[in-house]
Amino acid sequence: EKFIVVGAGILGASTAYHLAKTGADVTVIDRKDIGQATDAAAGIVCPWISQRRNQAWYRLAKGGARFYPGLIQELKNDGESNTGYSRVGAISIHTDSKKLAEMEKRARKRREDAPEIGEIHLLSQTETKALFPLIADGYSSVYVGGAARVDGRAIRDALLRSAERYGANIVNGDAELLLNGTNVIGTKVNNETYFADTVIVTAGAWGSQLLKPLGVNFQVDFQKGQILHMELQGMATDQWPVVMPPGNQYIVPFQDGKIVAGATHEKNTGFDLRVTAGSMQDILAQSLQFAPGLSSATIVEARVGFRPFTADFLPVIGPLPGFGGVLVANGLGASGLTMGPYLGSLMAKLVLKEKIDLDLAPYAISGALD
Ligand code: FAD
């Protein structure tokens, strides 16, 4: 059986890896759009203290976080040492001790069926500062030991390199779907035709464009995110935790003084790749408010990515109704680095008709159609 995966962000890369690892015949086609969400994202894996109440969303996010350590070990066994993932923990900071106590309680409750949350501690101002020295005065925190950071580019590349080692064929180009009646039979790329028994479409923010010629109105919209990379020369930031302040911005330390701060959530921008003054002001104002120690950091670069969303902010995965030979997954939103590797592994099982331990009904593609 032959498979084609269209779109190699985190979702397509994971699907291709898990398929190729079983010995399946896989071709990956990716256009490398600037604005690929995975390419811009960096990267918190810490879904447990979110206040979002949607259970179907939480199941995927929780499953995604739980899935990572095993995957990283597998990739290591495949020879990949640079996966961009590190379980450094996170601190959720606040000045209001009542809010922190509630957060701690929520995390402890959630740990009952998610032991991977790891250690949970309320940290004093001094303890918080010891973990993250740049922080402003007055902040205490809840520490969550199982939280991790991940570099979207690094994990995507590790998955794709490993897939290739297992025999996957990776093609750079713009794919169109080929139809025979209502069956998708392959893709056309750079004037070449690739046939397959099953085509898997993981095209992120561009997914609806790809399905349009089929007469399908696939309702995946996107939010633009701008994110800023800074550097603190000579600082040993390797073990610093992810910092989650009140609001929806965050500060993610990486190795060798690299600090990533962001990100914006911008609606109705279209595919606008510009880095804008207002967004940079917003990111800098917030990150310097919480971490004034960043004021001497070097500005390295800003990245822009488009997070794909469905109308109810729930990812979708499954066969495309009304058509044969085609499956779709999309809508990973603001937590796609967390869910993507797991969801890709489920997609591989789905197309190989293997047993899946999760009820996928809430994520049916029909949820993103008219
Ligand atoms: P994408 O990564 O966008 O990949 C889609 C790919 O499909 C692209 O490469 C595109 O070129 C290709 N494609 C599309 N159409 C075609 C075609 N016709 N032919 C060939 N190729 C095609 N998530 C977290 O969990 N934690 C975070 O902290 C986090 N931070 C983020 C910060 C920012 C700034 C952004 C933008 C996102 C963040 N996310 C985070 C969300 C996460 O990055 C996304 O949900 C996830 O990367 C989506 O992955 P994807 O594979 O579905 O899409």
Side-chain angles (χ1 to χ4, degrees):
E1 210 178 345
K2 276 192 168 180
F3 300 99
I4 290 175
V5 178
V6 180
I10 186 94
L11 189 51
S14 171
T15 304
Y17 170 73
H18 286 96
L19 278 174
K21 203 162 179 176
T22 67
D25 181 332
V26 185
T27 298
V28 180
I29 300 160
D30 188 63
R31 206 167 52 196
K32 300 193 176 177
D33 280 285
I34 304 172
Q36 183 198 75
T38 305
D39 205 55
I44 306 183
V45 180
C46 183
W48 314 287
I49 51 183
S50 159
Q51 294 207 54
R52 189 163 173 197
R53 287 179 195 279
N54 184 302
Q55 282 302 316
W57 174 84
Y58 181 63
R59 274 198 296 279
L60 278 189
K62 183 177 84 166
R66 177 180 290 173
F67 187 75
Y68 256 102
L71 174 66
I72 298 304
Q73 188 56 49
E74 268 186 63
L75 286 168
K76 208 173 247 171
N77 298 343
D78 294 336
E80 293 297 334
S81 52
N82 178 21
T83 57
Y85 175 88
S86 186
R87 205 163 167 271
V88 289
I91 50 172
S92 188
I93 63 167
H94 217 290
T95 49
D96 181 342
S97 54
K98 225 174 94 198
K99 289 248 162 66
L100 287 168
E102 280 163 19
M103 210 183 297
E104 188 200 9
K105 203 168 139 204
R106 198 158 59 234
R108 287 194 188 280
K109 178 103 192 53
R110 285 191 157 165
R111 192 168 60 179
E112 287 165 14
D113 66 348
E116 61 276 10
I117 289 181
E119 286 179 47
I120 299 165
H121 299 297
L122 258 179
L123 301 183
S124 68
Q125 290 185 35
T126 315
E127 289 166 325
T128 303
K129 206 160 221 166
L131 271 186
F132 185 70
L134 309 183
I135 203 154
D137 291 336
Y139 286 95
S140 312
S141 62
V142 174
Y143 172 80
V144 178
R149 58 159 147 89
V150 63
D151 173 335
R153 278 185 191 178
I155 185 78
R156 175 202 63 198
D157 289 348
L159 287 164
L160 288 174
R161 273 192 308 262
S162 291
E164 223 172 354
R165 240 181 274 118
Y166 283 114
N169 175 27
I170 300 183
V171 178
N172 179 210
D174 177 11
E176 281 167 51
L177 300 178
L178 282 177
L179 271 180
N180 180 4
T182 56
N183 281 323
V184 174
I185 54 166
T187 57
K188 204 171 134 197
V189 188
N190 315 332
N191 284 320
E192 251 184 82
T193 304
Y194 295 80
F195 291 103
D197 302 284
T198 307
V199 176
I200 299 152
V201 180
T202 48
W206 301 270
S208 56
Q209 291 177 359
L210 190 63
L211 296 177
K212 204 167 207 162
L214 273 55
V216 172
N217 184 8
F218 187 50
Q219 296 181 333
V220 165
D221 202 348
F222 56 87
Q223 273 184 9
K224 175 178 173 181
Q226 302 187 45
I227 192 163
L228 189 61
H229 289 229
M230 293 176 261
E231 192 190 330
L232 287 164
Q233 267 168 355
M235 291 276 244
T237 50
D238 305 26
Q239 294 304 318
W240 286 7
V242 169
V243 181
M244 302 165 74
N248 62 6
Q249 298 223 359
Y250 47 78
I251 300 166
V252 192
F254 282 83
Q255 298 102 308
D256 307 323
K258 181 171 158 186
I259 307 276
V260 177
T264 61
H265 290 256
E266 301 167 51
K267 291 176 197 135
N268 306 319
T269 58
F271 290 104
D272 173 8
L273 284 161
R274 293 172 313 125
V275 174
T276 61
S279 290
M280 289 301 108
Q281 181 190 37
D282 191 23
I283 292 172
L284 283 170
Q286 295 208 37
S287 46
L288 293 183
Q289 178 197 339
F290 300 119
L294 278 175
S295 63
S296 63
T298 311
I299 300 282
V300 179
E301 63 169 324
R303 293 186 192 170
V304 174
F306 303 112
R307 307 176 185 88
F309 277 104
T310 61
D312 56 5
F313 295 89
L314 195 61
V316 289
I317 178 171
L320 183 65
F323 292 86
V326 59
L327 288 92
V328 177
N330 210 317
L332 272 55
S335 37
L337 281 189
T338 306
M339 298 171 168
Y342 174 54
L343 210 60
S345 79
L346 295 183
M347 178 59 104
K349 286 191 170 152
L350 200 59
V351 297
L352 294 169
K353 299 181 179 64
E354 289 177 11
K355 192 176 162 292
I356 292 177
D357 291 333
L358 180 77
D359 176 15
L360 292 181
Y363 318 104
I365 297 298
S366 54
L369 301 176
D370 274 339

